[in-house]
Amino acid sequence: MKKFKKKLVAGNWKMNKTLADAQVLAAEILRDLADFTEVEVVLCPPFTALKAVGEIISNSVIKLGAQNMHWEAGGAFTGEVSPGMLRDLYCHYVILGHSERRAHCGETDETVNRKVKAALAANLTPIVCVGETLAQREEERTRDVVHGQVTQSLAGLGDDLARIVVAYEPVWAIGTGRTATPEQAQEVHAFVRELLGAAGGAETAAAVRILYGGSVKPANAAELFAQPDIDGGLIGGASLEARSFVEIVRGAA
Ligand code: PEP
């Protein structure tokens, strides 16, 4: 029997929004969702807006997340941000291993694994991204790729495996307007849950939320979120406008 879990919808604002624009967007989202508790909502603005957005949503049902962090606690790592610095700004979540960072910033399963462990140690919930490219899907390597990413990025977590969130984001669907069909997404989500079960047992697998990401829009959100193994979404483009993000959140209820 499926255990009840609150769905989670996170907005990944990527490298968008000035401070002023971020404040406006956060305030608009809060205005529309202040009393909405059916879905857990997370906003992930760029580092430069974390403090200001955090102040706007403090003491509300909406939580704050970052888009990346380093695994070290501090030191000579120019341009990086530590887990403690994110906690200091009241972040609850951190996106790790996003495909854009894997493609453009040299992130590997090994560095993602270090970050996941550092996030958990700092009491941050990692949203760990996995997903295949179009070429890998066409070569029918989706399962192999996702298997490698899940097992290596999440290696050695022990009981902490139950504390993470996974986001399945097929790279070919990110920012392209091309969404996985609910069946395609469900198939991979069920596989990810199977892998989590093999690593941590059935109870852990059932507890972990597996989000879908990749061109989620108000028009396709409800159908995706209705799939048995889709526990919410990681939203890029459609999270940059309050109206579409709020509609997606409501679609998850
Ligand atoms: C993302 O980058 O996490 C994402 C899902 O982007 P989009 O919704 O724009 O495809």
Side-chain angles (χ1 to χ4, degrees):
M1 208 177 57
K2 203 174 169 222
K3 233 167 107 177
F4 176 77
K5 277 185 296 230
K6 200 183 257 200
K7 283 195 165 41
L8 188 159
V9 175
N12 174 14
W13 296 1
K14 308 194 185 189
M15 195 172 71
N16 293 296
K17 304 291 175 189
T18 61
L19 184 57
D21 290 344
Q23 286 171 308
V24 169
L25 179 57
E28 285 174 353
I29 292 170
L30 179 62
R31 183 197 57 208
D32 289 351
L33 294 176
D35 301 319
F36 190 76
T37 54
E38 285 167 66
V39 174
E40 190 172 347
V41 178
V42 180
L43 303 183
C44 304
F47 288 134
T48 48
L50 276 174
K51 186 167 191 289
V53 169
E55 280 165 3
I56 289 168
I57 60 177
S58 69
N59 301 317
S60 83
V61 291
I62 300 179
K63 298 203 175 87
L64 190 65
Q67 299 173 18
N68 178 40
M69 55 162 229
H70 200 277
W71 60 83
E72 291 287 349
F77 299 96
T78 302
E80 295 289 347
V81 169
S82 74
M85 290 169 180
L86 299 183
R87 284 298 313 180
D88 199 28
L89 298 183
Y90 304 103
C91 283
H92 278 86
Y93 287 88
V94 59
I95 298 170
L96 296 176
H98 190 281
S99 61
E100 287 152 13
R101 295 203 56 82
R102 290 178 187 261
H104 308 308
C105 307
E107 296 227 356
T108 63
D109 292 327
E110 199 222 318
T111 57
V112 174
N113 184 245
R114 286 190 191 197
K115 292 180 179 197
V116 169
K117 288 175 176 162
L120 289 165
N123 228 0
L124 289 158
T125 300
I127 301 176
V128 186
C129 303
V130 299
E132 81 288 359
T133 63
L134 184 58
Q136 290 164 337
R137 175 162 282 264
E138 286 173 349
E139 289 160 12
E140 300 188 352
R141 291 176 50 218
T142 298
R143 278 182 173 243
D144 280 356
V145 170
V146 171
H147 177 275
Q149 291 172 332
V150 168
T151 51
Q152 290 166 45
S153 302
L154 304 179
L157 299 190
D159 291 346
D160 281 343
L161 187 60
R163 294 172 52 207
I164 63 146
V165 173
V166 176
Y168 168 58
E169 299 206 303
V171 179
W172 49 270
I174 295 181
T176 59
R178 193 176 157 188
T179 318
T181 64
E183 296 73 25
Q184 282 173 323
Q186 165 58 27
E187 191 188 334
V188 182
H189 280 236
F191 178 58
V192 171
R193 205 172 304 282
E194 216 178 285
L195 295 172
L196 294 171
E203 210 172 304
T204 294
V208 171
R209 284 177 294 189
I210 307 173
L211 314 183
Y212 170 78
S215 297
V216 177
K217 305 181 259 296
N220 59 26
E223 207 188 350
L224 283 159
F225 297 157
Q227 300 301 308
D229 287 295
I230 299 185
D231 305 310
L234 182 54
I235 319 300
S239 73
L240 296 175
E241 203 233 324
R243 190 197 293 214
S244 50
F245 183 66
V246 166
E247 250 188 84
I248 290 169
V249 170
R250 292 189 183 279

